[in-house]
Amino acid sequence: MNIQTAQNERTTILKIAAARRLYSKAKQYNNFYMMLNVVLITTLAIFSIGLNSDFFAQRFGFEKVDISIWVAVASIAVLSINKLVIGSGIDSNRETAAKIQELMDRDLFKLSWNSALAGNKPRFEEITKNGEWYLSKYGSLALENWYALNSTRISHYHQVLICQNSSLYWDVSLRKKTNSFIIWGGVCIFTVALVASLYLNLPMQAVLINLVALLGPMLDYGYTSLKENKDSIVQSERLLECISSTIEQAESGASEVELQRLTERVQDQIFSKRKSNWLIPDMFYRFFRDQDEVLMTQSSAQLEERFETLDV
């Protein structure tokens, strides 16, 4: 059975669904991380600026109060919660999801499980529990035709190369857009807080404490997100170069055994990347999906045309 057909089998759909469910659980921890680091501390900092402002005190008839120290305490507490609680929740769910996705890929690609790299295979019960939960809530339509394959005339390992290429291309494109959003979002939040503090003529000590309290969690979230995304982009681009080289070797007449060895090496690196990737929020995925999916489909179709000339 070729990949095009096998990817829509019930067992494959169940694995994809289970992985999506566990990635979503990891993203819930990541969203909580963002809410604490960005939303909560930003709100507290702006609230602190308003309470310590002559303008708002006179306008709303309250006595000024400086809570900037408490904002700093909240900032330290948030950083501690991130390191002690949220991080482990993200790592655990993300790694299990990556293992299930890896099992799905290796079953489809007819590659042996690399226990030295990934440890034991995920348990059947874990896959079934999470997969059935996802399918009962969202159905299977969005999971069908997971890889954009149309031609049935392409040999197996050429199909594998197309699947690996499309997966990595999608990942790079989405992460670059997400990084741009994070950078500009952080700059805007800090600029608004700074301008508001200066415009409302707050005492310099309060300005500094509020801004430092705001910067701590924001930099922790921003630096972690940008660094992990950048590392992932570099790794994906290196793997895309490796796939391009492998495609050239295939066009030069590389044997099936050699293609299997090369695709297996790429797959090992894809798993390593997935289990440590920074988790892109679903809102970015949904917002950019249609545009990126069109480009990915066109790229896959182009590769299929190249391989069809070899496999006829």
Side-chain angles (χ1 to χ4, degrees):
M1 185 183 299
N2 61 32
I3 295 174
Q4 184 182 5
T5 303
Q7 67 180 340
N8 291 322
E9 291 288 306
R10 171 70 180 180
T11 53
T12 304
I13 294 292
L14 193 65
K15 293 186 187 83
I16 299 173
R20 288 287 292 270
R21 161 67 170 155
L22 288 166
Y23 279 130
S24 292
K25 288 176 70 174
K27 288 178 181 181
Q28 288 172 4
Y29 280 98
N30 199 49
N31 292 341
F32 186 50
Y33 177 34
M34 182 181 70
M35 291 294 293
L36 288 177
N37 282 43
V38 180
V39 178
L40 175 63
I41 298 301
T42 299
T43 302
L44 289 176
I46 292 174
F47 192 55
S48 175
I49 291 169
L51 288 177
N52 203 19
S53 161
D54 290 324
F55 174 81
F56 285 110
Q58 293 171 6
R59 186 175 183 83
F60 295 103
F62 63 83
E63 185 177 348
K64 281 199 313 178
V65 58
D66 184 0
I67 64 167
S68 57
I69 295 297
W70 291 107
V71 176
V73 171
S75 176
I76 294 171
V78 164
L79 290 173
S80 301
I81 292 171
N82 290 340
K83 302 302 180 186
L84 298 176
V85 179
I86 298 177
S88 61
I90 292 173
D91 292 343
S92 174
N93 285 289
R94 177 173 55 190
E95 183 167 354
T96 304
K99 279 189 173 186
I100 294 173
Q101 190 173 5
E102 179 71 359
L103 181 62
M104 182 272 292
D105 276 345
R106 286 184 178 268
D107 286 347
L108 276 181
F109 300 163
K110 299 178 182 177
L111 302 174
S112 59
W113 180 259
N114 188 343
S115 57
L117 175 67
N120 294 328
K121 290 182 180 181
R123 293 180 61 85
F124 171 79
E125 295 85 354
E126 187 82 19
I127 295 171
T128 303
K129 178 182 70 175
N130 288 287
E132 293 292 356
W133 184 96
Y134 183 95
L135 293 174
S136 66
K137 187 169 184 178
Y138 300 108
S140 64
L141 184 61
L143 309 181
E144 294 171 3
N145 299 311
W146 188 252
Y147 290 114
L149 294 169
N150 295 306
S151 176
T152 58
R153 296 180 295 172
I154 299 173
S155 66
H156 178 75
Y157 289 109
H158 290 167
Q159 286 188 329
V160 173
L161 285 170
I162 293 173
C163 295
Q164 291 175 333
N165 183 80
S166 63
S167 176
L168 290 166
Y169 174 81
W170 180 307
D171 185 73
V172 169
S173 177
L174 189 55
R175 289 183 186 282
K176 285 182 177 179
K177 293 171 183 175
T178 303
N179 270 5
S180 296
F181 183 88
I182 291 171
I183 291 170
W184 285 108
V187 169
C188 288
I189 291 172
F190 181 78
T191 301
V192 168
L194 176 61
V195 170
S197 298
L198 297 177
Y199 177 78
L200 296 173
N201 198 29
L202 265 63
M204 187 53 63
Q205 179 183 357
V207 172
L208 292 175
I209 293 175
N210 279 316
L211 292 180
V212 169
L214 175 63
L215 273 177
M218 276 187 58
L219 285 177
D220 176 62
Y221 179 81
Y223 175 79
T224 300
S225 305
L226 292 172
K227 183 180 182 303
E228 290 185 8
N229 260 344
K230 184 178 178 181
D231 290 345
S232 181
I233 290 169
V234 169
Q235 190 175 9
S236 291
E237 289 178 337
R238 187 174 66 248
L239 288 172
L240 284 170
E241 291 174 1
C242 182
I243 289 174
S244 295
S245 174
T246 303
I247 291 172
E248 290 175 1
Q249 291 181 53
E251 291 176 325
S252 299
S255 68
E256 185 173 285
V257 172
E258 181 66 11
L259 287 178
Q260 179 182 0
R261 185 182 66 81
L262 292 170
T263 53
E264 217 158 23
R265 286 170 57 187
V266 171
Q267 192 62 36
D268 287 346
Q269 293 303 309
I270 288 176
F271 170 73
S272 295
K273 196 175 77 67
R274 282 174 178 162
K275 75 173 185 177
S276 59
N277 271 346
W278 184 77
L279 296 163
I280 298 174
D282 286 335
M283 64 177 180
F284 291 114
Y285 172 80
R286 288 190 291 266
F287 185 78
F288 294 118
R289 174 176 177 169
D290 290 343
Q291 178 185 359
D292 287 342
E293 190 168 20
V294 169
L295 292 174
M296 183 193 70
T297 302
Q298 291 173 345
S299 173
S300 295
Q302 185 181 47
L303 285 176
E304 282 187 324
E305 290 179 7
R306 290 174 64 179
F307 284 132
E308 279 181 343
T309 62
L310 301 176
D311 296 332
V312 291

